[in-house]
Amino acid sequence: MARIQIELPERFAFATEIPLYIGHINYGGHLDNALLLTLVSEARVRFFKSLGYTELDVEGVGIVVVDAALQYKAEAFHGETMVVEMAPADFNKYGCDLLWRMSDKESGREVARGKTGIVFFDYGPRKVTRVPDGFLAKVQA
């Protein structure tokens, strides 16, 4: 079976630190795979907040996650602080991918990388909508 390969950008537009708590750890003693996406979701919320948005209000519309892919690179353990870097890429009419990398702050060890596909969504009529011009201007600056 072919493995997923995710190419990352040279630079990331955003980075945030997230500590690993005991609730993030599974019976194997390392970061639980399902909870990794929870940490990435937290980073995504922080990314939008850094731009002055919430996931429900990006220039008057929200976002919806439509797909996700990831590659595990190493284990992560209780007490470590993860640095999650994020950058938007591969824009289309309705959305983009948010590329991300998670690394241990102290050692620099890459733990995982991935991409989360989002589309912009008007929650009034419950329809996909165009990428807001204001959002594009901010992330392409």
Side-chain angles (χ1 to χ4, degrees):
M1 179 167 100
R3 297 280 143 227
I4 293 171
Q5 297 297 317
I6 298 168
E7 297 296 321
L8 297 178
E10 289 183 24
R11 289 184 327 111
F12 286 90
F14 172 79
T16 190
E17 297 179 6
I18 303 175
L20 294 185
Y21 299 121
I22 195 65
H24 296 125
I25 306 305
N26 66 15
Y27 58 86
H30 54 233
L31 175 61
D32 185 272
N33 63 51
L35 294 174
L36 178 131
L37 284 177
T38 300
L39 297 173
V40 172
S41 293
E42 174 66 25
R44 188 182 63 245
V45 167
R46 294 178 186 187
F47 167 68
F48 278 100
K49 185 176 182 179
S50 76
L51 297 170
Y53 301 127
T54 70
E55 290 187 318
L56 290 175
D57 186 5
V58 180
E59 306 288 332
V61 297
I63 67 159
V64 174
V65 172
V66 293
D67 59 29
L70 60 95
Q71 287 176 271
Y72 295 101
K73 297 292 193 172
E75 294 176 289
F77 303 98
H78 174 252
E80 292 182 323
T81 298
M82 296 294 105
V83 175
V84 183
E85 301 166 284
M86 193 166 283
D90 299 325
F91 280 87
N92 62 50
K93 185 171 26 172
Y94 300 112
C96 64
D97 286 334
L98 297 175
L99 298 171
W100 57 266
R101 175 174 53 208
M102 181 182 294
S103 304
D104 174 52
K105 179 181 178 182
E106 186 175 319
S107 69
R109 175 184 79 254
E110 184 178 355
V111 171
R113 62 174 58 188
K115 65 179 194 158
T116 304
I118 62 167
V119 295
F120 290 85
F121 193 76
D122 188 335
Y123 280 90
R126 306 201 71 76
K127 292 187 178 198
V128 173
T129 189
R130 292 183 156 286
V131 176
D133 291 336
F135 175 78
L136 269 176
K138 282 185 178 183
V139 299
Q140 292 178 342

